[in-house]
Amino acid sequence: MSYEVGIRTLRLETAERLAHTEYCSNYALVRAVTGRDPETDPDAWREFYREWEIDFIWATNDGPVPWEERGRVTDMGHAEFLEGGTDRRDRKFCPFSSVEEVWEFDAVEEYGLPNMEELVDYYERWYREAQRAHPEQVVPGGYYKTLVSGAIQTFGWEMLLLAASDRRKFDKVLEGFFRLSLHHYEAWARTSVEAFICHDDMVWAEGPFMHPDFYRSSVFPRYRKLWDVLHEAGKIVLFCSDGTWTQFVDDVAEAGADGFIFEPTTSLDYIVERYGRTHVIVGSKVDCRTLTFGSRDEIRSQIDATVSLAGGCPGFMFAVGNHIPSNVPVENALFYFDYLRRRWQRA
């Protein structure tokens, strides 16, 4: 029933329980739940999704050839969170020597636009293979480096912040990333995916790092144009960003997002109050820091507080919004899911 719960939730049709997804890289947890090793057993994750009744898989795909094979990139930044630090990588230094170089950058000229028919075929094959591999879950389409995340990938934080100090010049830079994203969004729109994740880490944990007026003049209008392409093809658009963006929730909704995927630092209360009946809501008050360092009473309290808000929301999908990484104690994660499963049935 997981696929049915997931797709009904995305369509704002009340299912018999709250839908469920997780962003999990805790290999010890997968071993404890399934008895399989996710590093060596290709069926481990599929079994974990089944045992944890996952209804929706968070997924994006930016195309067949990564940017670093097509042009200059820096680093989006990365923390080690896999078991044993196996995901550690050396820092990539910025290839841009001046902010003037950044202001002259055109993402389309740098990375190129793949042939449209080949891109559509690539995305369709990827989606069908992923959905066939996970028939019990809804697999969406998605794009990761939409605008701001694209600029982070290319320039790194220092050059990005210097470039953003001149709004007019940085707007021109974002236009290149928009045109590159639009090409991929148009390809995704021609596939058979039912839902699509627009990922763009546009803020920090403390909130916006650019003036709010710039977001409203240069970022959100471009989101609308991208999402219009998907809506015309009948896709459900979910916007996903890390960080704290409560002040921009209304802007994202006005731009046309059908749903929100967010961390606990963005206000669940506000989103439920304003959009609980009309939008998909993927998140919760459960914080991975509570799972890591908190007590069972604190975990229980955050689940209870979420469930009390979620009952009237047909599109609610429960998740630890900021990830279940490898340092979360397995016993805490098991307690979290056991208690959640006892609470997620709808009245």
Side-chain angles (χ1 to χ4, degrees):
M1 289 295 291
S2 274
Y3 179 90
E4 290 302 316
V5 171
I7 198 64
R8 288 181 62 187
T9 299
L10 292 173
R11 293 171 180 168
L12 301 179
E13 301 169 0
T14 303
E16 66 269 18
R17 63 166 172 83
L18 297 180
H20 180 219
T21 189
E22 298 293 353
Y23 332 113
C24 176
S25 61
N26 193 313
Y27 291 174
L29 175 61
V30 176
R31 293 189 197 100
V33 170
T34 68
R36 299 173 181 267
D37 188 340
E39 296 188 272
T40 59
D41 188 338
D43 292 324
W45 284 108
R46 186 182 298 115
E47 182 65 22
F48 177 74
Y49 295 153
R50 181 182 301 114
E51 291 294 326
W52 266 42
E53 298 185 61
I54 298 293
D55 310 303
F56 175 85
I57 295 176
W58 197 102
T60 61
N61 188 318
D62 287 7
V65 183
W67 287 9
E68 57 266 29
E69 295 181 17
R70 293 150 56 189
R72 291 168 290 176
V73 297
T74 306
D75 202 328
M76 296 186 74
H78 179 70
E80 295 174 25
F81 54 75
L82 291 183
E83 186 178 273
T86 57
D87 56 329
R88 183 194 178 279
R89 64 174 184 247
D90 292 332
R91 179 184 176 188
K92 294 179 182 177
F93 289 92
C94 180
F96 298 87
S97 59
S98 70
V99 71
E100 286 76 19
E101 277 189 79
V102 174
W103 285 330
E104 293 300 317
F105 184 84
D106 185 309
V108 172
E109 290 183 5
E110 185 80 14
Y111 303 126
L113 300 179
N115 175 274
M116 178 59 75
E117 298 304 320
E118 293 177 1
L119 191 59
V120 173
D121 181 64
Y122 167 80
Y123 282 142
E124 180 67 23
R125 283 188 288 105
W126 177 89
Y127 163 66
R128 288 183 179 275
E129 290 169 5
Q131 190 63 80
R132 186 162 48 248
H134 301 285
E136 297 180 43
Q137 289 78 38
V138 178
V139 178
Y143 195 79
Y144 195 90
K145 299 188 291 289
T146 298
L147 292 177
V148 180
S149 285
I152 299 168
Q153 170 77 23
T154 298
F155 310 125
W157 277 109
E158 292 180 7
M159 276 299 181
L160 182 152
L161 293 173
L162 287 172
S165 65
D166 188 309
R167 296 189 202 175
R168 181 185 61 82
K169 292 179 180 178
F170 192 55
D171 177 82
K172 179 184 173 185
V173 175
L174 285 186
E175 177 63 19
F177 288 103
F178 164 75
R179 289 186 290 116
L180 180 61
S181 294
L182 180 62
H183 187 75
H184 287 263
Y185 277 58
E186 288 173 340
W188 270 116
R190 291 173 55 183
T191 69
S192 56
V193 297
E194 296 191 73
F196 183 92
I197 295 174
C198 166
H199 172 275
D200 204 29
D201 286 337
M202 60 168 177
V203 296
W204 285 336
E206 294 82 4
F209 58 86
M210 299 180 288
H211 195 285
D213 289 350
F214 182 79
Y215 288 88
R216 292 179 173 125
S217 66
S218 296
V219 176
F220 302 136
R222 288 185 168 103
Y223 286 166
R224 174 177 287 280
K225 292 176 182 178
L226 293 170
W227 301 344
D228 281 348
V229 169
L230 297 165
H231 283 145
E232 289 169 5
K235 313 302 183 188
I236 299 166
V237 178
L238 308 177
F239 175 72
C240 175
S241 174
D242 287 348
T244 303
W245 46 281
T246 305
Q247 72 186 90
F248 292 141
V249 169
D250 293 339
D251 298 283
V252 170
E254 186 177 346
D258 300 303
F260 317 105
I261 304 175
F262 53 96
E263 293 189 285
T265 56
T266 293
S267 175
L268 176 63
D269 298 74
Y270 184 81
I271 290 176
V272 167
E273 177 186 356
R274 295 275 292 176
Y275 303 102
R277 302 295 304 176
T278 59
H279 285 65
V280 178
I281 299 172
V282 184
S284 73
K285 287 180 175 286
V286 181
D287 193 308
C288 71
R289 291 168 293 189
T290 307
L291 292 185
T292 306
F293 306 110
S295 67
R296 291 192 171 189
D297 284 344
E298 290 172 312
I299 296 169
R300 187 185 295 111
S301 177
Q302 290 182 348
I303 293 174
D304 289 342
T306 303
V307 171
S308 69
L309 291 170
C313 305
F316 199 95
M317 190 174 295
F318 208 109
V320 179
N322 50 3
H323 187 202
I324 304 179
S326 60
N327 63 324
V328 170
V330 169
E331 58 271 20
N332 284 1
L334 293 174
F335 174 80
Y336 154 75
F337 180 62
D338 180 67
Y339 188 71
L340 172 61
R341 187 155 45 183
R342 285 188 273 145
R343 291 300 322 275
W344 67 17
Q345 208 71 24
R346 291 185 184 272

